[in-house]
Amino acid sequence: MGLFDSLRKMFAAPEPEAGPAPAASPPPAPAHGVDYDDERVPTPARKKIAAILTALEDVATMMDREQVQAVSRTEIELMRDEHLPKLVKSYIDIPPAHRAEIFRKTGKSASFILEESLDTMKARIDEIARNLAQHDLDAFSSNAAFISRRYSDGDPFR
């Protein structure tokens, strides 16, 4: 055995002992401990939340296909992982007996403000989706125009 082999053995990390397999991790908890189907969330808001979650998944899929700036990707992740759960949790945490205080302060009910906020979030997601789709539309138009020029009867370079 050479000098380098001896040194390698001396400084090598010990082999892990074969032991019992690690226990399976529990299923992930809802984001921020929020149950979007909580009965305290009004039914119309639950429907909007479901639409937002679906739209977020669709946009994430579109982003995976495209070269998307990290800023847009981060915005979508923040909506999904932070903003939406915090909004819903903050609504759920309002004691029902004190919800009228929001109306006295704003002239709008807490449920109205929740739904209005959800609509604002959905509009932003739709805008991001439109921007991503525009790239696809532009690419399709360019390809269709190329095919039209390339294979039309009036093309002198054919």
Side-chain angles (χ1 to χ4, degrees), residues 2 7 17 26 38 52 91 96 111 127 130 133 141:
L7 287 173
E17 293 182 23
D38 190 305
I52 286 171
Y91 176 85
S111 60
E127 180 184 348
R130 264 191 310 279
S141 293

Side-chain angles (χ1 to χ4, degrees), residues 140-153 155 158:
F140 177 74
S141 293
S142 294
N143 287 325
F146 168 78
I147 295 299
S148 178
R149 284 189 309 271
R150 175 73 174 101
Y151 297 108
S152 69
D153 289 336
D155 187 358
R158 226 162 156 238

Side-chain angles (χ1 to χ4, degrees), residues 105-136:
K105 288 181 182 179
T106 65
K108 300 175 182 177
S109 69
S111 60
F112 180 85
I113 293 171
L114 172 64
E115 290 183 39
E116 190 176 58
S117 298
L118 293 170
D119 288 340
T120 300
M121 185 176 279
K122 179 70 166 70
R124 177 63 182 138
I125 296 165
D126 291 345
E127 180 184 348
I128 291 169
R130 264 191 310 279
N131 290 340
L132 290 168
Q134 187 61 50
H135 179 268
D136 294 335

Side-chain angles (χ1 to χ4, degrees), residues 17-85:
E17 293 182 23
S25 59
H32 290 280
V34 177
D35 176 10
Y36 294 128
D37 292 323
D38 190 305
E39 290 182 9
R40 294 173 287 183
V41 178
T43 302
R46 281 187 269 172
K47 290 178 182 176
K48 290 179 182 191
I49 291 166
I52 286 171
L53 292 171
T54 299
L56 286 169
E57 286 179 28
D58 293 345
V59 168
T61 301
M62 292 170 78
M63 286 181 162
D64 288 343
R65 266 195 348 236
E66 304 291 333
Q67 297 293 328
V68 177
Q69 294 178 353
V71 173
S72 296
R73 191 174 300 278
T74 301
E75 184 177 6
I76 290 297
E77 290 168 357
L78 281 172
M79 280 187 210
R80 181 192 64 221
D81 299 337
E82 297 290 328
H83 303 158
L84 180 61

